[in-house]
mmCIF file of all heavy atoms in Angstrom:
data_model
loop_
_atom_site.group_PDB
_atom_site.id
_atom_site.type_symbol
_atom_site.label_atom_id
_atom_site.label_comp_id
_atom_site.label_asym_id
_atom_site.label_seq_id
_atom_site.Cartn_x
_atom_site.Cartn_y
_atom_site.Cartn_z
ATOM 1 N N VAL L 183 61.226 89.944 63.452
ATOM 2 C CA VAL L 183 59.851 90.370 63.719
ATOM 3 C C VAL L 183 59.169 89.279 64.546
ATOM 4 O O VAL L 183 59.237 88.103 64.194
ATOM 5 C CB VAL L 183 59.054 90.562 62.412
ATOM 6 C CG1 VAL L 183 57.636 91.019 62.702
ATOM 7 C CG2 VAL L 183 59.768 91.541 61.476
ATOM 8 N N VAL L 184 58.521 89.679 65.605
ATOM 9 C CA VAL L 184 57.646 88.763 66.338
ATOM 10 C C VAL L 184 56.220 89.104 65.929
ATOM 11 O O VAL L 184 55.740 90.215 66.191
ATOM 12 C CB VAL L 184 57.829 88.930 67.866
ATOM 13 C CG1 VAL L 184 56.808 88.042 68.614
ATOM 14 C CG2 VAL L 184 59.239 88.578 68.282
ATOM 15 N N ASP L 185 55.565 88.172 65.260
ATOM 16 C CA ASP L 185 54.197 88.380 64.784
ATOM 17 C C ASP L 185 53.330 87.271 65.369
ATOM 18 O O ASP L 185 53.561 86.088 65.110
ATOM 19 C CB ASP L 185 54.172 88.360 63.256
ATOM 20 C CG ASP L 185 52.789 88.654 62.686
ATOM 21 O OD1 ASP L 185 51.828 87.981 63.099
ATOM 22 O OD2 ASP L 185 52.675 89.541 61.832
ATOM 23 N N THR L 186 52.326 87.652 66.121
ATOM 24 C CA THR L 186 51.525 86.657 66.840
ATOM 25 C C THR L 186 50.858 85.656 65.893
ATOM 26 O O THR L 186 50.785 84.462 66.204
ATOM 27 C CB THR L 186 50.417 87.325 67.669
ATOM 28 O OG1 THR L 186 49.625 88.175 66.832
ATOM 29 C CG2 THR L 186 51.037 88.151 68.801
ATOM 30 N N PHE L 187 50.385 86.139 64.757
ATOM 31 C CA PHE L 187 49.699 85.245 63.806
ATOM 32 C C PHE L 187 50.624 84.120 63.341
ATOM 33 O O PHE L 187 50.205 82.973 63.242
ATOM 34 C CB PHE L 187 49.223 86.057 62.600
ATOM 35 C CG PHE L 187 48.572 85.255 61.514
ATOM 36 C CD1 PHE L 187 47.229 84.934 61.569
ATOM 37 C CD2 PHE L 187 49.322 84.806 60.423
ATOM 38 C CE1 PHE L 187 46.645 84.180 60.556
ATOM 39 C CE2 PHE L 187 48.738 84.057 59.403
ATOM 40 C CZ PHE L 187 47.386 83.745 59.486
ATOM 41 N N HIS L 188 51.844 84.490 63.059
ATOM 42 C CA HIS L 188 52.762 83.504 62.499
ATOM 43 C C HIS L 188 53.334 82.560 63.546
ATOM 44 O O HIS L 188 53.715 81.434 63.231
ATOM 45 C CB HIS L 188 53.927 84.222 61.800
ATOM 46 C CG HIS L 188 53.504 85.008 60.596
ATOM 47 N ND1 HIS L 188 52.825 84.443 59.549
ATOM 48 C CD2 HIS L 188 53.662 86.311 60.277
ATOM 49 C CE1 HIS L 188 52.584 85.367 58.633
ATOM 50 N NE2 HIS L 188 53.080 86.506 59.041
ATOM 51 N N LEU L 189 53.406 83.004 64.781
ATOM 52 C CA LEU L 189 54.206 82.291 65.783
ATOM 53 C C LEU L 189 53.439 81.734 66.980
ATOM 54 O O LEU L 189 54.021 80.997 67.786
ATOM 55 C CB LEU L 189 55.291 83.235 66.326
ATOM 56 C CG LEU L 189 56.221 83.877 65.284
ATOM 57 C CD1 LEU L 189 57.179 84.845 65.971
ATOM 58 C CD2 LEU L 189 56.989 82.825 64.498
ATOM 59 N N TRP L 190 52.185 82.048 67.116
ATOM 60 C CA TRP L 190 51.462 81.734 68.357
ATOM 61 C C TRP L 190 51.482 80.258 68.720
ATOM 62 O O TRP L 190 51.427 79.904 69.886
ATOM 63 C CB TRP L 190 50.017 82.215 68.242
ATOM 64 C CG TRP L 190 49.180 81.356 67.354
ATOM 65 C CD1 TRP L 190 49.130 81.381 65.994
ATOM 66 C CD2 TRP L 190 48.283 80.315 67.771
ATOM 67 N NE1 TRP L 190 48.265 80.409 65.534
ATOM 68 C CE2 TRP L 190 47.736 79.756 66.597
ATOM 69 C CE3 TRP L 190 47.889 79.802 69.021
ATOM 70 C CZ2 TRP L 190 46.813 78.713 66.649
ATOM 71 C CZ3 TRP L 190 46.984 78.753 69.051
ATOM 72 C CH2 TRP L 190 46.455 78.229 67.885
ATOM 73 N N TRP L 191 51.573 79.392 67.739
ATOM 74 C CA TRP L 191 51.478 77.939 67.925
ATOM 75 C C TRP L 191 52.778 77.323 68.389
ATOM 76 O O TRP L 191 52.801 76.153 68.787
ATOM 77 C CB TRP L 191 51.114 77.301 66.575
ATOM 78 C CG TRP L 191 52.162 77.656 65.555
ATOM 79 C CD1 TRP L 191 52.174 78.761 64.752
ATOM 80 C CD2 TRP L 191 53.402 77.000 65.337
ATOM 81 N NE1 TRP L 191 53.336 78.810 64.021
ATOM 82 C CE2 TRP L 191 54.118 77.750 64.368
ATOM 83 C CE3 TRP L 191 53.985 75.833 65.871
ATOM 84 C CZ2 TRP L 191 55.389 77.368 63.938
ATOM 85 C CZ3 TRP L 191 55.255 75.467 65.438
ATOM 86 C CH2 TRP L 191 55.933 76.242 64.463
ATOM 87 N N ASP L 192 53.874 78.043 68.301
ATOM 88 C CA ASP L 192 55.215 77.446 68.429
ATOM 89 C C ASP L 192 55.519 77.053 69.881
ATOM 90 O O ASP L 192 55.561 77.927 70.740
ATOM 91 C CB ASP L 192 56.262 78.430 67.901
ATOM 92 C CG ASP L 192 57.666 77.820 67.825
ATOM 93 O OD1 ASP L 192 57.870 76.713 68.357
ATOM 94 O OD2 ASP L 192 58.555 78.477 67.257
ATOM 95 N N PRO L 193 55.754 75.775 70.133
ATOM 96 C CA PRO L 193 56.077 75.376 71.520
ATOM 97 C C PRO L 193 57.342 76.050 72.050
ATOM 98 O O PRO L 193 57.528 76.136 73.257
ATOM 99 C CB PRO L 193 56.287 73.865 71.401
ATOM 100 C CG PRO L 193 55.621 73.459 70.127
ATOM 101 C CD PRO L 193 55.682 74.644 69.211
ATOM 102 N N GLU L 194 58.195 76.532 71.134
ATOM 103 C CA GLU L 194 59.431 77.194 71.543
ATOM 104 C C GLU L 194 59.266 78.723 71.641
ATOM 105 O O GLU L 194 60.264 79.439 71.842
ATOM 106 C CB GLU L 194 60.545 76.891 70.543
ATOM 107 C CG GLU L 194 60.866 75.414 70.407
ATOM 108 C CD GLU L 194 61.396 74.827 71.697
ATOM 109 O OE1 GLU L 194 62.155 75.527 72.389
ATOM 110 O OE2 GLU L 194 61.013 73.680 72.027
ATOM 111 N N LEU L 195 58.049 79.226 71.462
ATOM 112 C CA LEU L 195 57.877 80.668 71.303
ATOM 113 C C LEU L 195 58.451 81.469 72.459
ATOM 114 O O LEU L 195 59.203 82.439 72.256
ATOM 115 C CB LEU L 195 56.397 81.010 71.111
ATOM 116 C CG LEU L 195 56.079 82.492 70.971
ATOM 117 C CD1 LEU L 195 56.835 83.113 69.793
ATOM 118 C CD2 LEU L 195 54.584 82.716 70.830
ATOM 119 N N PHE L 196 58.116 81.076 73.675
ATOM 120 C CA PHE L 196 58.524 81.901 74.805
ATOM 121 C C PHE L 196 60.037 81.851 75.013
ATOM 122 O O PHE L 196 60.666 82.864 75.315
ATOM 123 C CB PHE L 196 57.721 81.525 76.049
ATOM 124 C CG PHE L 196 56.261 81.848 75.885
ATOM 125 C CD1 PHE L 196 55.356 80.887 75.483
ATOM 126 C CD2 PHE L 196 55.810 83.141 76.069
ATOM 127 C CE1 PHE L 196 54.022 81.208 75.280
ATOM 128 C CE2 PHE L 196 54.466 83.485 75.888
ATOM 129 C CZ PHE L 196 53.573 82.505 75.475
ATOM 130 N N ALA L 197 60.604 80.686 74.824
ATOM 131 C CA ALA L 197 62.067 80.586 74.918
ATOM 132 C C ALA L 197 62.751 81.436 73.849
ATOM 133 O O ALA L 197 63.778 82.086 74.097
ATOM 134 C CB ALA L 197 62.503 79.113 74.784
ATOM 135 N N GLN L 198 62.173 81.438 72.660
ATOM 136 C CA GLN L 198 62.803 82.182 71.555
ATOM 137 C C GLN L 198 62.586 83.699 71.707
ATOM 138 O O GLN L 198 63.441 84.485 71.297
ATOM 139 C CB GLN L 198 62.284 81.680 70.210
ATOM 140 C CG GLN L 198 62.659 80.217 69.915
ATOM 141 C CD GLN L 198 64.169 79.982 69.851
ATOM 142 O OE1 GLN L 198 64.941 80.880 69.546
ATOM 143 N NE2 GLN L 198 64.581 78.765 70.172
ATOM 144 N N ILE L 199 61.453 84.106 72.257
ATOM 145 C CA ILE L 199 61.263 85.540 72.526
ATOM 146 C C ILE L 199 62.303 86.001 73.548
ATOM 147 O O ILE L 199 62.904 87.082 73.394
ATOM 148 C CB ILE L 199 59.825 85.823 73.035
ATOM 149 C CG1 ILE L 199 58.825 85.676 71.887
ATOM 150 C CG2 ILE L 199 59.720 87.215 73.646
ATOM 151 C CD1 ILE L 199 57.359 85.781 72.317
ATOM 152 N N ALA L 200 62.521 85.195 74.579
ATOM 153 C CA ALA L 200 63.529 85.566 75.583
ATOM 154 C C ALA L 200 64.910 85.646 74.949
ATOM 155 O O ALA L 200 65.684 86.577 75.216
ATOM 156 C CB ALA L 200 63.504 84.539 76.723
#
Side-chain angles (χ1 to χ4, degrees):
Chain L
V183 181
V184 175
D185 183 307
T186 55
F187 176 85
H188 295 304
L189 305 177
W190 74 280
W191 58 271
D192 187 349
E194 300 297 321
L195 178 58
F196 294 97
Q198 296 299 333
I199 288 173

